[in-house]
Amino acid sequence: APSLEEGCALCVPGEFQAEPGRDTCNLCPEHSSSLAGAATHSACVCDPGFEAAVSGECVPCAQGTYWLEAVDELAGTCVRCPSGTVGVREGATSLNMGCERCPQGFAWSEGECVLCPRGTYVKNSECVECAAPLTTRDPGSLTAQDCVCTEGMFELLNGACQSCLEG
């Protein structure tokens, strides 16, 4: 509802009016707001956790992104979760709300957390292969110390692998 100021109606926050002489204000799109006295549709900015779609509607930040407040502006934008994290919900209003680190034994690969396969271990959010002829007993190994000699071999005192003799 407009408020009177010197005989003219001033649009309240959440409304705008771009046509002089009109006695009603237009509502900003759902999930957006404006300052009092907004004169254009573009003065309506999406609420935290939302961004403007091509249609002009405000849509939730997609899973895998979070809302980042723009510096010196009312608006913000949705940005991708950083490497080594995975998006856990849509409409996230902060990094901590929308992105979580991969669980132990998992690494970041092509936009998702994946279990490191047998023969690899996690290092800096990546699956790293054990040096030949080493492997791991199970998938999801956490350190290079989990690398052991492959089947049919045994470890010598100096850490090298030796083939087992037949029989």
Side-chain angles (χ1 to χ4, degrees):
S3 61
L4 239 39
E5 186 180 289
E6 297 181 17
C8 293
L10 184 66
C11 293
V12 297
E15 297 181 348
F16 71 97
Q17 181 48 262
E19 300 173 41
R22 299 285 306 253
D23 60 356
T24 60
C25 296
N26 300 310
L27 287 174
C28 286
E30 189 176 10
H31 306 295
S32 70
S33 59
S34 67
L35 297 176
T40 63
H41 180 273
S42 62
C44 299
V45 294
C46 294
D47 296 335
F50 292 83
E51 67 180 344
V54 175
S55 64
E57 295 177 287
C58 292
V59 296
C61 291
Q63 186 170 332
T65 67
Y66 67 97
W67 188 80
L68 182 64
E69 187 172 5
V71 180
D72 297 330
E73 291 181 36
L74 295 173
T77 188
C78 299
V79 295
R80 285 185 155 309
C81 289
S83 179
T85 64
V86 63
V88 292
R89 66 185 49 84
E90 72 173 29
T93 56
S94 69
L95 171 63
N96 290 339
M97 181 184 174
C99 310
E100 293 179 359
R101 291 223 164 271
C102 295
Q104 279 198 332
F106 286 72
W108 185 250
S109 178
E110 298 179 21
E112 62 183 346
C113 291
V114 295
L115 180 64
C116 286
R118 191 168 182 255
T120 68
Y121 60 94
V122 179
K123 183 177 181 180
N124 298 327
S125 296
E126 293 181 4
C127 296
V128 178
E129 286 190 30
C130 294
L134 303 176
T135 188
T136 56
R137 289 187 173 88
D138 301 299
S141 295
L142 303 178
T143 68
Q145 283 74 35
D146 293 333
C147 296
V148 295
C149 295
T150 56
E151 285 183 37
M153 301 187 103
F154 65 96
E155 188 173 340
L156 298 172
L157 292 176
N158 66 4
C161 295
Q162 174 74 44
S163 293
C164 296
L165 300 174
E166 286 188 37

